[in-house]
Amino acid sequence: MYYFSGTGNTKWVADRFKENFALDNINIDLVNIESVEDNKLKKYDFFIIGSPVYAEFPPKIVTDFLNKFDDSKKKVKIIVYSTQAASSSSAPCFMAKCLRKKGYLPLIQISIKMPNNYYFFVGKKPDKNEIKELLLKANKKVKDVVKNFINEEPVIETASFIRIQFNKMIYNIFKSRIPKLSKNISSTKECGKCGLCLRNCPQGNITFEEGRAIFHSKCILCLKCIYICPINAVRYKGKKIEQTQKDIIRVLDLNR
Ligand SMILES: Cc1cc2nc3c(=O)[nH]c(=O)nc-3n(C[C@H](O)[C@H](O)[C@H](O)COP(=O)(O)O)c2cc1C
């Protein structure tokens, strides 16, 4: 399984896949795509790809990874899933299409609704009960699709052509606004320079200057820095953000 996860949701789901496949004595190796240097894949029986959704599509770090994915000569089966705040997105269709072109066979293509980590920009802040309920439902969905996969029953969630085309427009607008949006991230003078954000930024976008964390121009808006800061000193538009992902982000294998 290859995954990217900014604030833990996609990794949380990855762990559920691993757990549920283990019940059938199938071992899943979890690989964070940030740690993949070349895309020479080992020989596996099947692959799982997991991604969060940023403006309806996977972030660039995931699409770059998929574009470099080795071709498959033998129609190796794949599972693709996205996690997002809404019930669905165009991301699984996009990921499956990309891998189908390379000779893979998408057997499971699904969206999994998870807590909204960008509620301070769009949508509603998830409360504790809602988060609990979302995790229960996500777990059930993973359990069900693992059974489907083992029984070779396809589960393909699609999005209409019009939705995908419209969302492409939204994504392109979002992409062009990332540099501006990422300027909204800053740290306060309370920053203890512990280095956790610096060591775990997927873009290597953070340095320490003048006694605090400074965010440069390579940000992809994954929001990891906001949610992992142990003293909640990373601001968005100067505002303190309630760290609603605090429990979930613990599932990431962080560089301590
Ligand atoms: C920059 C950004 C854009 C997002 N856009 C969407 C979106 O278009 N639709 C949606 O349902 N959720 C959106 N979300 C919410 C995330 O997709 C969701 O919380 C996801 O599960 C986060 O996964 P992660 O914790 O593995 O990073 C967005 C989040 C971020 C940070």
Side-chain angles (χ1 to χ4, degrees):
M1 143 110 58
Y2 291 96
Y3 70 90
F4 170 70
S5 185
T7 66
N9 287 345
T10 311
K11 172 64 165 44
W12 189 92
V13 172
D15 289 341
R16 301 294 79 71
F17 269 107
K18 185 172 171 71
E19 231 169 59
N20 281 286
F21 272 113
L23 297 175
D24 266 273
N25 293 322
I26 297 171
N27 178 46
I28 305 285
D29 285 345
L30 295 186
V31 183
N32 181 344
I33 67 171
E34 292 166 63
S35 69
V36 178
E37 266 149 31
D38 62 47
N39 289 22
K40 288 275 155 274
L41 305 176
K42 281 202 222 153
K43 294 268 174 283
Y44 282 108
D45 300 316
F46 65 95
F47 290 101
I48 310 176
I49 318 285
S51 173
V53 167
Y54 294 177
E56 287 281 337
F57 280 96
K60 189 173 176 299
I61 190 166
V62 176
T63 50
D64 285 350
F65 175 77
L66 291 179
N67 286 335
K68 285 191 267 161
F69 217 69
D70 275 354
D71 287 354
S72 165
K73 294 186 181 61
K74 290 191 302 185
K75 284 228 169 275
V76 172
K77 290 184 202 110
I78 51 161
I79 295 177
V80 292
Y81 74 89
S82 66
T83 70
Q84 69 286 306
S87 310
S88 65
S89 76
S90 303
C93 277
F94 174 86
M95 295 194 286
K97 189 174 169 195
C98 184
L99 292 168
R100 206 177 289 115
K101 275 192 202 152
K102 289 178 180 275
Y104 293 88
L105 177 67
L107 203 58
I108 307 286
Q109 172 183 321
I110 54 164
S111 294
I112 300 186
K113 187 171 159 86
M114 287 292 280
N116 185 1
N117 64 352
Y118 204 17
Y119 67 84
F120 43 90
F121 183 71
V122 65
K124 167 176 156 287
K125 184 171 78 186
D127 65 29
K128 279 212 161 104
N129 284 336
E130 198 184 333
I131 293 177
K132 208 168 137 192
E133 211 164 291
L134 284 170
L135 298 187
L136 278 173
K137 283 194 182 147
N139 190 22
K140 163 103 178 44
K141 188 159 181 174
V142 173
K143 212 183 257 299
D144 290 346
V145 296
V146 166
K147 276 193 205 129
N148 291 126
F149 184 82
I150 289 168
N151 296 328
E152 306 229 359
E153 297 161 359
V155 181
I156 306 292
E157 294 176 358
T158 53
S160 71
F161 177 76
I162 295 177
R163 179 174 180 188
I164 294 177
Q165 293 311 310
F166 178 73
N167 287 340
K168 270 189 189 157
M169 249 167 45
I170 305 282
Y171 181 74
N172 284 331
I173 296 172
F174 165 75
K175 221 168 62 179
S176 66
R177 290 191 64 205
I178 291 180
K180 196 161 170 239
L181 288 169
S182 64
K183 284 205 178 106
N184 291 328
I185 299 178
S186 61
S187 68
T188 66
K189 59 178 180 342
E190 280 78 45
C191 167
K193 288 199 285 173
C194 69
L196 200 58
C197 60
L198 180 148
R199 286 191 296 278
N200 291 286
C201 172
Q203 294 293 99
N205 190 44
I206 305 172
T207 54
F208 286 126
E209 285 163 35
E210 294 154 23
R212 69 168 86 163
I214 304 290
F215 304 86
H216 300 277
S217 57
K218 290 186 287 175
C219 176
I220 55 167
L221 273 183
C222 75
L223 310 181
K224 191 178 281 173
C225 50
I226 291 185
Y227 287 100
I228 57 170
C229 178
I231 58 161
N232 203 356
V234 181
R235 299 283 178 266
Y236 190 84
K237 285 190 175 175
K239 286 198 196 111
K240 189 170 185 163
I241 302 301
E242 193 185 327
Q243 291 175 316
T244 49
Q245 293 288 122
K246 207 174 175 66
D247 292 332
I248 299 177
I249 205 165
R250 290 204 185 105
V251 305
L252 295 181
D253 299 316
L254 297 174
N255 296 317
R256 294 278 165 195

